[in-house]
Amino acid sequence: MTDAAQSLEEPLDRDPVAALLAVLDLADSSARTTEDIFTGVSQPMPLGRVYGGQVLAQSIVAAERTTAEGRIPHSMHGYFLRPGDSSKGITFAVDRIHDGRSFSTRRTQAFQEGVPIFSMISSFQDEDPGIEHQQPAPDGIPGPEDLPDLEDHLSGLHPVSKRLFLDRPVDLRHVPSPIYVTVEGERVPRQAVWMRSCSPLPDDPAVHRAALAYVSDLTIQESILRAHGVPWATPGLKVASLDHAMWWHRPGRIDDWLLYVQESPSARGGRGLATGRIYSRDGALVASVAQEIMVRIPA
């Protein structure tokens, strides 16, 4: 739908976190069909395209609004169909496909001007006890306090350009370093990113689940670009998200530091696959993510 770097480059409202909460606050439309209808606003974006993580988060909010209390999302699989226009609102239509004893399934489609821009299937489950294990967090990752702020990586940029990077709802700290302007170090298809909202969010777990979907699209593509030494600032670079899958494993707060471990197992034919695991500060595996992108690098 759009490259994730755009979401970091757009000046938001004075309080970027308040702006994020505003886009997650969908309105329940009075219109009624065989589906539940919700409407939402978009964040303004520099190139006019809706940020993919935004519509992901809004779609899961819409779907969760139609499920029974206590039945929470555990997975979603979505396809970006068309670029969205960030100057216009979005309509979300939720089809209540199935409600079982423990699971519910929903299809959510996001529309602009009557045309679908995103389609998602999501599944919800009551909290049940059961077997448990997880892949541990990697060792040797520096803590967020030991890493420089993003502003330290933007020296030499015009103050206005710096503001485009810094006015955002999420604090990001890359390991080894961001690839916005240059790719430093070894060209490898992996990286890690600490992330945390710039100010506290409400305690509602549904807000944190949606915000986690929002941030899951911010940097996952970068393991693909890093492997080839391609920074976001490359003239003529074109990156677009094709699909996105996410699994919520355990509760997590986006206003506490989360570690997003990312790698790319393959790139071919103008497409790259990236996967990610999101851990809490104490090492709990909060979520897993997979995304395929279209990537076109100028010759």
Side-chain angles (χ1 to χ4, degrees):
M1 173 164 291
T2 181
D3 69 64
Q6 292 175 12
S7 63
L8 301 177
E9 297 176 355
E10 170 63 17
L12 302 175
D13 294 344
R14 291 183 179 179
D15 183 348
V17 173
L20 169 61
L21 293 174
V23 302
L24 297 180
D25 187 19
L26 302 183
D28 187 351
S29 173
S30 58
R32 281 292 175 266
T33 65
T34 57
E35 301 173 328
D36 297 88
I37 307 298
F38 302 90
T39 59
V41 298
S42 289
Q43 293 174 295
M45 300 297 291
L47 298 181
R49 289 187 170 188
V50 173
Y51 162 53
Q54 174 202 303
V55 74
L56 286 171
Q58 291 173 312
S59 295
I60 204 67
V61 168
E64 189 166 0
R65 293 264 191 96
T66 71
T67 62
E69 185 175 356
R71 191 161 286 193
I72 62 176
H74 67 88
S75 69
M76 62 78 61
H77 301 262
Y79 281 89
F80 299 100
L81 305 177
R82 296 174 177 84
D85 185 342
S86 63
S87 68
K88 300 175 181 178
I90 306 176
T91 299
F92 299 88
V94 181
D95 184 0
R96 304 189 186 205
I97 294 176
H98 176 70
D99 284 301
R101 187 177 304 175
S102 300
F103 289 86
S104 294
T105 306
R106 298 290 186 264
R107 180 180 63 213
T108 306
Q109 294 207 95
F111 293 87
Q112 284 191 322
E113 298 185 325
V115 176
I117 64 171
F118 178 73
S119 183
M120 179 189 81
I121 295 285
S122 54
S123 183
F124 299 75
Q125 182 192 15
D126 297 331
E127 188 69 34
D128 289 329
I131 60 173
E132 183 167 337
H133 73 271
Q134 69 162 66
Q135 185 169 349
D139 296 325
I141 301 293
E145 296 85 1
D146 299 323
L147 297 169
D149 293 335
L150 174 59
E151 190 168 6
D152 294 339
H153 296 282
L154 302 177
S155 60
L157 288 182
H158 188 277
V160 174
S161 298
K162 281 188 178 182
R163 184 186 172 196
L164 296 178
F165 282 98
L166 297 174
D167 285 355
R168 67 199 189 283
V170 183
D171 187 358
L172 300 175
R173 303 192 182 186
H174 285 67
V175 181
S177 60
I179 65 167
Y180 301 131
V181 180
T182 61
V183 179
E184 301 173 0
E186 189 179 1
R187 295 184 178 185
V188 293
R190 58 185 178 272
Q191 66 173 20
V193 181
W194 286 100
M195 56 188 184
R196 181 180 66 175
S197 63
C198 294
S199 61
L201 297 181
D203 290 332
D204 184 357
V207 171
H208 290 268
R209 287 191 291 269
L212 194 63
Y214 177 96
V215 300
S216 71
D217 186 41
L218 279 175
T219 58
I220 190 169
Q221 309 88 349
E222 293 178 356
S223 59
I224 301 165
L225 300 179
R226 185 180 294 276
H228 299 274
V230 178
W232 285 113
T234 301
L237 175 66
K238 295 184 183 298
V239 176
S241 305
L242 300 175
D243 61 7
H244 193 97
M246 183 169 180
W247 297 263
W248 291 262
H249 304 306
R250 294 169 180 83
R253 293 187 64 98
I254 192 62
D255 51 8
D256 288 337
W257 284 111
L258 297 170
L259 178 64
Y260 200 173
V261 180
Q262 304 160 353
E263 62 183 1
S264 173
S266 177
R268 184 181 182 277
R271 301 186 316 277
L273 176 64
T275 64
R277 303 188 307 276
I278 301 175
Y279 292 91
S280 65
R281 185 72 182 266
D282 61 6
L285 182 57
V286 175
S288 298
V289 182
Q291 183 180 104
E292 189 172 44
I293 66 170
M294 178 209 75
V295 54
R296 293 175 180 165
I297 300 172

